[in-house]
Amino acid sequence: MSPSETPSATPSDAGAAAPLILVLHGARGDLSRRLVLPSLATLHERGLLPDRWALLGTGRESMSREDFVGHVRSALEEFGHEGTTDDDVDALTRHSRFTDEVRADGDGGGLPAALDQVRRELTETEALAEGDQEPAARTLGPEDVVVVHYLAIPPQGFAPLTEAMGAQGLAVGPDGRHETVRIVYEKPYGTSPESFRELDAVVHEVFEEDQVFRIDHFLGKEATQNLHVMRFANDLFSSVWDRHHVEQVQIDVPETLDVAQRAEFYDATGAALDMVVSHLFQVAGQVAMEPPRHLAVSDLVRAREDAIGDFRPLDPVNDVVLGQFEGYQDIEGVREGSTTDTFIAARLWIDNERWRDVPFLLRTGKRMAASAQRVTLVLRRDPVHLFGDEVPAGAISLSLAGDGEIALTTAVKKPGPDLDLARGTATMLLDDVTPGEPLPAYASLMHDVLQGDRTLFTTPIGLEAAWRTFEPLLGEDRPDPLPYAPGSWGPAAADELAAPHGWVLGRQ
Ligand code: BG6
């Protein structure tokens, strides 16, 4: 999040203490179970939720309150931290209930009424807590409650649900102000330039842009956030962050993961759409951004998205290698003869003064040799250096996985009697940094939503630029995916893209 703006939960004097209702649309789904509910539990444990808050789950079929509590419990037991207690479950369910979802046919289900009631419940508690028997002089009213709608539903439901929310008056608070209502969209926010624009048009018919939070969880990772901190807070890094010192940038996210669990979704999506136009482009924007004028939210977002705007449209013929792992077509749910890519390596160029002629190499795929999430800036060597070509290339590298790490590789003297050079790496684990405790990406972004901080969220300007870069890969020049062995580093042709250094990950 941004350090310089003190976010407020509402623009009124209710401040950060304003009560909160989180409406989890699709509360029974996989995403809610795996990520949203455990993230809420983490925020609760870390004391990052307001004192008064409630969870409202919605779904297609109704569910009793008791069953909903059981559902939350089982999600936390399976995907939350170890040793989930009754207190944890109670914290998430104290004011909670489950209501029918808002329907596309204009039926509000139980949600509008449930919201009114919970708004009242939360603010009545406030009046008593502050004034004991007497209500406090300035108590919060139902209109001060912040309502966050989290759409953990299949993406084809985003537009109909948004329209239905508009029809039910759910885009504004009880006093008609929009500032107290926020909405969170999961990915994919559109699967083509056209579907992105159509969805965004629907969203803007109902919501103001400052109510909208489009999640890309790679932006919430501790190490991704460090990209701008390490650079803009340290001359050591900022002074080498350009084409004069950096020879290649590699953004490499190989995964050993299979796709059998979600074959149908994956077969309709593929690696490029699933990972590149979203996560890897955003990370590339973080690496490439110019220093913002200030650390204000809008300046940071603009700096990242301006960089994305400088990406040259991909050249599918010369700069992209697609792959499909052998055996993919035998997976149940995959279409016969599918040409879906389970691997992509792409060379991206950024047409600006800082990065001209520096390749940004992006790679990701399923069933690969290892799982990692690495951003590496391969540093140039000085040819007239005292040690000449003996000097191994240095690197600044970040691991985005887990709690994150920053590593610096430099030429050092090979320990021993002779004056030979070797490559040495110093690694800083971000969870070793004190004081502090890393937050998982989803929890961190959810916290930003609750605070109303949009620094790490995408806007239509940046997404439009990302689609413009990606679009050539959707056309007739899209290369056929090349086969690769499961457990390998992908098709050999991808290695040529990374010449002369080759991919840092997987290097012998
Ligand atoms: C998701 C993609 O958005 O990100 C998955 O759909 C991918 O295919 C995942 O595996 C990676 O997430 P994480 O949590 O490992 O960073």
Side-chain angles (χ1 to χ4, degrees):
M1 67 173 281
S2 151
S4 67
E5 289 184 8
T6 308
S8 63
T10 77
S12 73
D13 59 356
L20 162 77
I21 303 176
L22 187 105
V23 185
L24 184 52
H25 297 266
R28 256 189 301 229
D30 201 46
L31 181 72
S32 295
R33 280 171 55 74
R34 282 175 187 277
L35 287 165
V36 185
L37 292 169
S39 299
L40 273 176
T42 302
L43 293 181
H44 167 72
E45 266 163 49
R46 299 275 288 269
L48 294 172
L49 292 176
D51 292 344
R52 280 165 290 276
W53 72 281
L55 174 67
L56 276 182
T58 84
R60 232 170 291 163
E61 279 147 38
S62 42
M63 195 184 209
S64 68
R65 191 184 129 72
E66 204 177 34
D67 287 348
F68 186 47
V69 171
H71 170 75
V72 173
R73 180 188 305 280
S74 90
L76 297 190
E77 281 169 358
E78 198 173 347
F79 299 110
H81 67 95
E82 270 175 36
T84 294
T85 63
D86 283 349
D87 284 351
D88 297 329
V89 177
D90 185 50
L92 258 70
T93 53
R94 197 166 300 141
H95 295 278
S96 300
R97 65 201 65 189
F98 191 87
T99 79
D100 300 340
E101 70 181 8
V102 186
R103 298 208 186 79
D105 61 14
D107 178 353
L111 187 55
L115 270 175
D116 280 350
Q117 188 175 340
V118 179
R119 272 191 176 104
R120 273 199 309 275
E121 274 175 28
L122 292 179
T123 44
E124 274 159 16
T125 318
E126 162 78 8
L128 283 183
E130 292 214 347
D132 220 358
Q133 301 305 323
E134 298 282 318
R138 163 73 175 100
T139 55
L140 297 174
E143 68 284 359
D144 293 310
V145 175
V146 171
V147 177
V148 173
H149 293 272
Y150 196 112
L151 270 53
I153 60 170
Q156 55 276 23
F158 289 171
L161 181 56
T162 304
E163 279 167 342
M165 288 173 68
Q168 294 300 318
L170 294 173
V172 289
D175 56 357
R177 281 189 309 140
H178 75 268
E179 287 86 347
T180 50
V181 180
R182 296 175 198 146
I183 183 156
V184 183
Y185 292 92
E186 259 299 330
K187 76 178 261 269
Y189 190 79
T191 52
S192 65
E194 298 75 33
S195 60
F196 148 69
R197 283 179 208 129
E198 278 162 26
L199 172 61
D200 211 48
V202 170
V203 168
H204 283 131
E205 265 167 38
V206 178
F207 292 98
E208 302 292 326
E209 175 60 18
D210 62 6
Q211 296 179 276
V212 181
F213 292 76
R214 302 171 194 82
I215 286 224
D216 187 310
H217 77 278
F218 269 57
L219 286 176
K221 290 174 185 273
E222 289 282 357
T224 311
Q225 298 187 52
N226 253 296
L227 274 166
H228 61 256
V229 175
M230 69 187 267
R231 186 175 153 202
F232 302 133
N234 299 282
D235 283 352
L236 175 66
F237 295 113
S238 59
S239 59
V240 297
W241 213 269
D242 59 30
R243 69 191 160 93
H244 303 295
H245 299 89
V246 176
E247 192 167 352
Q248 290 185 336
V249 176
Q250 300 193 7
I251 300 175
D252 203 0
V253 185
E255 296 182 293
T256 56
L257 269 182
D258 201 351
V259 296
Q261 320 290 348
R262 48 178 193 149
E264 267 174 50
F265 156 79
Y266 198 84
D267 199 43
T269 311
L273 274 175
D274 184 38
M275 296 289 287
V276 173
V277 70
S278 49
H279 304 321
L280 302 198
F281 275 6
Q282 293 298 327
V283 174
Q286 277 282 109
V287 175
M289 67 159 82
E290 291 298 312
R293 286 178 51 223
H294 303 285
L295 284 176
V297 173
S298 54
D299 289 333
L300 277 163
V301 173
R302 190 171 319 129
R304 183 176 62 242
E305 299 200 329
D306 279 353
I308 298 175
D310 285 339
F311 294 176
R312 194 185 300 168
L314 279 176
D315 175 350
V317 178
N318 297 305
D319 285 336
V320 178
V321 173
L322 298 181
Q324 187 185 82
F325 65 80
E326 287 155 6
Y328 172 73
Q329 305 207 7
D330 302 332
I331 296 173
E332 203 184 317
V334 170
R335 289 160 302 158
E336 214 183 309
S338 164
T339 59
T340 294
D341 46 297
T342 62
F343 170 97
I344 173 171
R347 191 163 47 191
L348 188 70
W349 301 99
I350 300 184
D351 285 322
N352 64 21
E353 190 51 26
R354 183 182 297 276
W355 296 115
R356 184 158 302 119
D357 298 332
V358 177
F360 275 58
L361 299 158
L362 316 181
R363 179 172 74 168
T364 186
K366 304 293 188 212
R367 299 290 314 267
M368 289 182 64
S371 288
Q373 302 183 336
R374 254 301 143 193
V375 175
T376 307
L377 283 76
V378 180
L379 300 175
R380 280 188 199 284
R381 291 179 296 178
D382 182 353
V384 294
H385 196 281
L386 263 187
F387 289 94
D389 282 348
E390 299 292 295
V391 183
I396 300 167
S397 151
L398 291 93
S399 168
L400 310 186
D403 292 335
E405 68 181 47
I406 297 175
L408 197 56
T409 298
T410 60
V412 289
K413 177 181 167 297
K414 185 169 160 189
D418 302 320
L419 189 55
D420 292 334
L421 297 191
R423 214 191 296 261
T425 297
T427 302
M428 184 199 317
L429 303 179
L430 297 178
D431 67 352
D432 278 352
V433 177
T434 50
E437 197 184 334
L439 266 182
Y442 263 93
S444 174
L445 290 175
M446 197 179 296
H447 180 247
D448 287 354
V449 175
L450 306 185
Q451 298 282 297
D453 182 336
R454 293 157 49 78
T455 314
L456 298 172
F457 295 84
T458 59
T459 78
I461 296 170
L463 292 178
E464 183 70 47
W467 281 113
R468 189 179 45 75
T469 302
F470 189 82
E471 199 163 11
L473 200 50
L474 298 170
E476 56 192 22
D477 287 338
R478 174 185 186 264
D480 290 335
L482 303 170
Y484 63 96
S488 72
W489 286 98
D495 295 344
E496 284 154 33
L497 284 185
H501 292 287
W503 296 95
V504 173
L505 288 179
R507 188 153 58 187
Q508 296 305 314

